[in-house]
C-alpha cells in the first residue's frame, strides 16, 4: 500500500498562486473560486495516477472539516486521487494553559501505528511520502519527507522524488 500524507496550505495553495493574475481572474469570474493552484493539483494527480498511492490528509484543514467534507473540497478543486483518511490531531493541554500543538510527525506516526496491520496485510513493503511545507517531522520520517516550498507549492522535481520513494 502506498500513502501520500498531504498538507494543503503551502502545497496545493501557495504564495505565487494567491498572488497570480490567474487566481484573481478565476475568483472574480466564478463563485466557485479556485482555492488550489490547478498546476499543483495536476502534479498531485500525476503522482497518484503513476503510483496508485492513496491520500491521507495531514493538513491542519482536517481540524475544521470531517473526512467527507475534505474529500468534497479536494474533489471540487480537481483532486482525483483516492482520499482514504486523515491523521489524528493531537494537542497537549495538561501542563500549559494554552494547548501545545504536537509535531505533525507524531500525528503521522500515530496513523501509521494505528494502521500497521492493514498496511502489512496489503503490501509487505508499505511505502509512504509526506508532502508538507513545515518541517516538524520525526527523525525516522526524514527519508519519506519532501519539504515543499510554500512560495511555489508542488513542483515537477518534487513529484519525481515522490515517485521514487513510492516505487
Amino acid at each position: 500500500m502506498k500513502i501520500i500524507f498531504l498538507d494543503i496550505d503551502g502545497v496545493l495553495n501557495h504564495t505565487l498562486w494567491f498572488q497570480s493574475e490567474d487566481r484573481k481572474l478565476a475568483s472574480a469570474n466564478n463563485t466557485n473560486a479556485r482555492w488550489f493552484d490547478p498546476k499543483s493539483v495536476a502534479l498531485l494527480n500525476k503522482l497518484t495516477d503513476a503510483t496508485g498511492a492513496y491520500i491521507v490528509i495531514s493538513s491542519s484543514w482536517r481540524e475544521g472539516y470531517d473526512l467527507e467534507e475534505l474529500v468534497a473540497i479536494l474533489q471540487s478543486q480537481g483532486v482525483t486521487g483516492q482520499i482514504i483518511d486523515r491523521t489524528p490531531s493531537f494537542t497537549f493541554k495538561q501542563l500549559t494553559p494554552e494547548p501545545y500543538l504536537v509535531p505533525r510527525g507524531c500525528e503521522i506516526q500515530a496513523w501509521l501505528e494505528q494502521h500497521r496491520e492493514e498496511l502489512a496485510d496489503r503490501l509487505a513493503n508499505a511505502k509512504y511520502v509526506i508532502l508538507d511545507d513545515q518541517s516538524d517531522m520525526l527523525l525516522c520520517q526524514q527519508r519519506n519527507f519532501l519539504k515543499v516550498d510554500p512560495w511555489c507549492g508542488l513542483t515537477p522535481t518534487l513529484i519525481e522524488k515522490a515517485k521514487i520513494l513510492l516505487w
Side-chain angles (χ1 to χ4, degrees), residues 26-44:
S27 296
N29 297 329
N30 188 350
T31 56
N32 185 18
R34 299 296 302 185
W35 293 349
F36 307 151
D37 176 11
K39 292 175 186 172
S40 293
V41 170
L43 287 168
L44 176 63

Side-chain angles (χ1 to χ4, degrees), residues 81-101:
Q82 186 175 354
I83 302 158
I84 61 167
D85 205 356
R86 59 187 182 164
T87 58
S89 180
F90 298 144
T91 57
F92 187 66
K93 299 179 184 177
Q94 284 86 357
L95 297 178
T96 61
E98 293 296 319
Y100 169 73
L101 296 177

Side-chain angles (χ1 to χ4, degrees), residues 49-114:
D49 290 348
T51 63
Y54 298 102
I55 298 170
V56 174
I57 304 299
S58 56
S59 170
S60 60
W61 284 50
R62 73 195 188 285
E63 296 166 11
Y65 302 98
D66 64 27
L67 182 60
E68 294 75 24
E69 290 170 317
L70 285 169
V71 170
I73 289 168
L74 288 159
Q75 288 176 344
S76 76
Q77 298 296 301
V79 173
T80 58
Q82 186 175 354
I83 302 158
I84 61 167
D85 205 356
R86 59 187 182 164
T87 58
S89 180
F90 298 144
T91 57
F92 187 66
K93 299 179 184 177
Q94 284 86 357
L95 297 178
T96 61
E98 293 296 319
Y100 169 73
L101 296 177
V102 174
R104 190 163 291 170
C106 293
E107 297 166 335
I108 290 170
Q109 195 64 33
W111 190 94
L112 288 167
E113 288 297 319
Q114 182 181 9

